[in-house]
Amino acid sequence: KDGSMTFIVVLLFLLAVRYWWGELPSIAGNYPSHWFSWINSLLSGSPAYLAGVVLPALLLAWVSNGFEGILFGLPALMLHLGVLFFVLHAPSPEMTFDALQLQARQSTTHDGLLADTQDQTLRSLLSRLHQGFFVYIIWYLLLGPGGALFCFLQRHYEREEGNDGSDFNSLDATVNLGAQAVSRWLVGLSVRVSLLLLALVGRFRDGWPFFVASLKDWSIDEGDLLYAGVCLGLAPEVESETELDSAAYVDWLQDYEGLLSRLFFGWIGLAALLTLLS
């Protein structure tokens, strides 16, 4: 029952983010900053990390598990939805591609500067989808609400540490380095999952070697890595977008959007598979 509920929740969020014409807003606000400021006023070093990141995730996992058998699981469902609404923040692919195609249609020629600007927009879209959405989806699928909250607090912990030196310089050097490595790995896993799915729903012959190569280097920018992976998944005749005229570039954008849609459905398939295996 828990696995089915997890799949339904993920399905709703994936379809909403892909097709809803608007961003999925974050409701977390400044709560993480206030939380870590309070924790740091009481503790420092490893105890602060354990109390601020690990303990809340464990408590949430325990509470969520206890709710499963109450009122047919309705409180657990509300808890799952509430946690994801709290941690998720995603741009709107629908709105982004509509704007890009409108810009391309209004251009009489395929302007190189416009193409570079739109390429950066696509890179940013892919990076933001993974930084604010897919990274939490994968850890929610693997570990439930506690996993999603752990990922959220872990990344905010690292961000607060970097932005407020007066508060976080007292942390142990080992904790600092460990937090950075964990955050990079948390996001990197979602990126590699998407590269694997892109290989499956795009051109496998080119996508699979690219996915395997990405496992060896986790220092590449997520947006650049994902953009290259998506381009590899497109048909060869529309891959070299810099050589296309305005009309052909619009077609390339439509193919790009279609591949991104297949990526979302690939994530739905992954959620179904993990549900069956759980």
Side-chain angles (χ1 to χ4, degrees):
K1 183 169 63 176
D2 179 49
S4 300
M5 179 176 64
T6 299
F7 172 73
I8 292 173
V9 170
V10 169
L11 176 66
L12 291 175
F13 275 104
L14 284 167
L15 293 177
V17 169
R18 174 59 192 93
Y19 294 108
W20 182 34
W21 205 85
E23 291 192 355
L24 179 66
S26 172
I27 64 174
N30 293 323
Y31 289 115
S33 297
H34 296 327
W35 168 250
F36 285 116
S37 295
W38 179 69
I39 289 293
N40 194 66
S41 68
L42 302 174
L43 302 168
S44 63
S46 299
Y49 175 78
L50 293 174
V53 178
V54 179
L55 184 59
L58 291 176
L59 286 175
L60 177 62
W62 177 71
V63 171
S64 174
N65 185 62
F67 278 179
E68 294 299 331
I70 302 176
L71 294 177
F72 307 102
L74 182 60
L77 176 61
M78 300 305 295
L79 179 64
H80 284 228
L81 291 173
V83 169
L84 288 186
F85 270 119
F86 184 78
V87 303
L88 294 179
H89 175 64
S92 168
E94 193 79 3
M95 183 171 61
T96 301
F97 279 103
D98 283 353
L100 291 176
Q101 291 183 34
L102 180 62
Q103 290 176 352
R105 288 190 177 96
Q106 290 175 342
S107 176
T108 56
T109 60
H110 186 59
D111 187 285
L113 181 59
L114 175 62
D116 289 341
T117 301
Q118 294 203 335
D119 286 351
Q120 290 301 319
T121 300
L122 291 171
R123 284 179 171 86
S124 176
L125 171 67
L126 292 170
S127 181
R128 291 171 61 201
L129 278 173
H130 284 77
Q131 290 280 349
F133 183 68
F134 285 129
V135 62
Y136 301 118
I137 292 296
I138 187 62
W139 289 106
Y140 171 74
L141 285 170
L142 294 174
L143 300 175
L149 183 64
F150 170 79
C151 183
F152 178 80
L153 292 175
Q154 162 67 37
R155 298 182 67 214
H156 275 276
Y157 170 87
E158 182 190 8
R159 193 172 303 142
E160 291 293 326
E161 175 189 344
N163 291 341
D164 194 346
S166 61
D167 285 343
F168 290 89
N169 277 339
S170 60
L171 294 176
D172 296 337
T174 303
V175 177
N176 295 346
L177 294 175
Q180 295 174 7
V182 169
S183 293
R184 184 167 58 251
W185 188 74
L186 289 173
V187 179
L189 179 63
S190 72
V191 172
R192 271 71 187 177
V193 169
S194 280
L195 291 178
L196 173 61
L197 294 175
L198 284 168
L200 296 175
V201 302
R203 289 192 293 152
F204 186 81
R205 178 178 295 181
D206 295 322
W208 175 254
F210 187 78
F211 161 70
V212 173
S214 73
L215 298 176
K216 304 174 183 178
D217 187 356
W218 291 59
S219 62
I220 304 174
D221 177 77
E222 291 90 356
D224 292 339
L225 190 64
L226 290 161
Y227 183 81
V230 173
C231 288
L232 282 175
L234 296 174
E237 61 268 18
V238 298
E239 187 176 295
S240 301
E241 73 277 12
T242 55
E243 301 176 0
L244 303 176
D245 58 23
S246 179
Y249 186 68
V250 171
D251 293 337
W252 181 85
L253 283 172
Q254 292 174 344
D255 290 332
Y256 197 107
E257 184 178 10
L259 181 59
L260 189 64
S261 295
R262 296 200 298 276
L263 172 62
F264 271 82
F265 281 98
W267 273 92
I268 292 175
L270 174 66
L273 178 62
L274 292 177
T275 299
L276 292 175
L277 295 176
S278 63

